[in-house]
Amino acid sequence: MASPTETERCIESLIAVFQKYAGKDGNASTLSKREFLTFMNTELAAFTKNQRDPGVIDRMMKKLDLNSDGQLDFQEFLNLIGGLATACHDSFLKKARP
């Protein structure tokens, strides 16, 4: 059996990170608001520490929670990751331009 590709390892990593934080408040397939805050403060600490507005995490959760159930499922979580990856990619492109 072939070793996983870099992309496959990245996907496995995203799943593992989601599972690491999901379920502590009961539902293993979603992140509660508290779990999301723990995830943000641990995995994206540089982002959260640079926020001057203490309500930004609450607003992010509400914006990501497309079905308004107060939880983030894996698809909603991936919307966050995709948005952050896009912002980082755009930033790299801007820095690369002379």
Side-chain angles (χ1 to χ4, degrees), residues 21-90:
Y21 294 94
K24 305 239 186 309
D25 288 341
N27 187 343
S29 63
T30 62
L31 294 172
S32 68
K33 184 177 177 180
R34 186 168 63 118
E35 292 165 342
F36 178 65
L37 182 61
T38 301
F39 161 78
M40 291 295 293
N41 287 331
T42 305
E43 301 291 334
L44 297 171
F47 173 81
T48 55
K49 286 178 184 166
N50 289 326
Q51 295 302 314
R52 293 186 183 107
D53 179 358
V56 72
I57 303 297
D58 284 339
R59 287 194 303 281
M60 285 177 67
M61 173 90 179
K62 286 179 185 170
K63 191 170 188 175
L64 291 165
D65 185 14
L66 298 177
N67 61 357
S68 301
D69 66 352
Q71 309 276 318
L72 295 182
D73 62 25
F74 189 67
Q75 179 61 56
E76 293 165 331
F77 171 78
L78 286 180
N79 290 339
L80 168 68
I81 301 303
L84 291 172
T86 299
C88 290
H89 181 257
D90 291 348

